[in-house]
Amino acid sequence: MDFLERLNEAQRTAVTAGGGPVLVLAGPGSGKTRVLTHRIAFLIQALGVPSYAILAVTFTNRAAREMKLRVEEMLGQEVGEIWLGTFHAMCARLLRRESAQNQLPFSANFVIFDASDQETLIKRALRELNIDDKTHRPAGVHAAISAAKNDLQLPKDVPRGSYRDEVVARVYEKYQEMLQLNNAVDFDDLLLYTAYLLQNNPMVAEKYARRFRHVLVDEFQDTNLAQYVMLKQLASYHHNIFVVGDEDQSIYRWRGADYRNVLRFEKDYPKCETILLEQNYRS
């Protein structure tokens, strides 16, 4: 395993950590993604974990491609069976597999509406509900609906303490009806429905939790509540969850990222091994 020689002591400690929950806290430039890719290679080469039993998630397609390429370069072989990709890609894959056997409001060939499609649908919903889109801007209403989904709130769960809340709840309900008529989901739905499916269907949760012996997460500080819940479910059988993040640097906080997930992790896994990466290679 020559690739371990390229790591500093703290990085090597993280990469070769034992089983169970591991929390790697690291600042910018300290090699977070490097640790994650080396960890995957270590699991496969040193511990003999089959690639199909590993789930590794990150936030962008570019990061996922680079991670997979680095792992294959270190191992000198392809790792085609590994589930390595973005949260949304992983969720779409799981939902397409499970929609036929579970009561989800879409079929396996659902389409994913992009930002433009979503905006059009929100505007239609406002119009059909006779709500003034000058007073209640479509972008603002959509942002509120997105935040609700990231917090695992269905339309019936949205607080209605003010007229604004009432508008959001009504538009949210109409928006979901329109999505279902088109056999469509938006990006937030991918997270919402996956989290709900794993939470409320023990058979599905156990199926994937048994399969994935190791769950690894890049940029953990950028996860929201829906993502945290699904990760916890997916790691519920083997309890081998390895997360890497910087609790002081969240670039997706505006999109629902919840810095409290680091605190939740430490509370839910009180015996987790915490490793600090403190050497900055960018300065």
Side-chain angles (χ1 to χ4, degrees):
M1 293 181 292
D2 294 340
F3 57 83
L4 292 179
E5 296 178 4
R6 300 193 292 267
L7 304 173
N8 65 36
E9 185 176 350
Q11 292 171 338
R12 195 177 303 112
T13 298
V15 168
T16 59
V22 178
L23 173 62
V24 180
L25 295 176
S30 58
K32 295 190 295 292
T33 303
R34 182 184 185 88
V35 163
L36 200 68
T37 53
H38 281 68
R39 173 69 172 178
I40 295 171
F42 178 79
L43 291 173
I44 294 172
Q45 190 172 89
L47 302 186
V49 179
S51 58
Y52 64 78
I54 297 173
L55 170 68
V57 285
T58 187
F59 277 84
T60 68
N61 289 316
R62 178 180 177 181
R65 286 192 299 269
E66 290 180 355
M67 284 170 61
K68 186 174 182 180
L69 182 61
R70 289 189 201 177
V71 171
E72 291 179 339
E73 286 177 349
M74 282 185 278
L75 295 177
Q77 66 184 61
E78 293 186 356
V79 285
E81 293 182 304
I82 190 173
W83 278 41
L84 196 167
T86 65
F87 275 97
H88 294 101
M90 182 270 290
C91 290
R93 185 175 180 181
L94 190 152
L95 290 172
R96 291 192 194 281
R97 288 187 170 198
E98 300 300 330
S99 60
Q101 290 78 34
N102 296 279
Q103 293 183 338
L104 295 172
F106 44 80
S107 63
N109 63 340
F110 62 82
V111 295
I112 302 172
F113 274 14
D114 62 18
S116 176
D117 297 325
Q118 294 167 38
E119 182 181 0
T120 299
L121 222 56
I122 291 289
K123 289 179 178 178
R124 277 184 53 198
L126 287 165
R127 190 163 57 248
E128 291 192 16
L129 292 170
N130 294 316
I131 296 173
D132 184 5
D133 64 3
K134 300 291 191 297
T135 304
H136 301 282
R137 297 286 184 181
V141 174
H142 184 233
I145 293 172
S146 176
K149 291 183 178 184
N150 289 334
D151 281 338
L152 296 180
Q153 293 177 339
L154 298 173
K156 63 181 178 60
D157 304 317
V158 175
R160 304 192 183 208
S162 66
Y163 180 64
R164 169 70 174 178
D165 294 338
E166 181 70 28
V167 167
V168 169
R170 290 174 60 200
V171 176
Y172 184 0
E173 188 172 12
K174 174 63 72 173
Y175 175 65
Q176 292 304 107
E177 290 174 3
M178 292 176 169
L179 284 169
Q180 291 173 28
L181 286 173
N182 287 279
N183 192 35
V185 298
D186 63 20
F187 292 112
D188 296 312
D189 283 330
L190 293 172
L191 307 178
L192 173 70
Y193 286 117
T194 301
Y196 263 105
L197 179 61
L198 293 172
Q199 262 193 322
N200 298 310
N201 191 319
M203 291 183 64
V204 174
E206 184 177 359
K207 171 183 172 182
Y208 288 95
R210 280 179 175 269
R211 170 177 178 151
F212 297 125
R213 300 184 203 172
H214 290 268
V215 176
L216 303 97
V217 189
D218 193 18
E219 304 293 357
F220 182 66
Q221 78 281 348
D222 288 327
T223 55
N224 56 40
L225 180 61
Q227 290 162 327
Y228 183 85
V229 166
M230 74 175 73
L231 291 169
K232 186 178 176 181
Q233 291 292 328
L234 290 169
S236 62
Y237 188 81
H238 296 286
H239 304 291
N240 294 323
I241 180 166
F242 184 97
V243 304
V244 181
D246 177 358
E247 59 185 340
D248 295 323
Q249 185 192 34
S250 175
I251 64 171
Y252 289 121
R253 195 161 294 175
W254 59 274
R255 208 175 67 183
D258 192 340
Y259 68 93
R260 292 171 297 180
N261 281 349
V262 172
L263 302 178
R264 288 189 179 106
F265 190 91
E266 293 175 322
K267 180 180 177 181
D268 289 338
Y269 304 103
K271 295 183 179 180
C272 74
E273 182 178 359
T274 301
I275 301 168
L276 303 179
L277 301 186
E278 298 175 300
Q279 186 169 343
N280 189 328
Y281 289 92
R282 291 184 193 162
S283 61

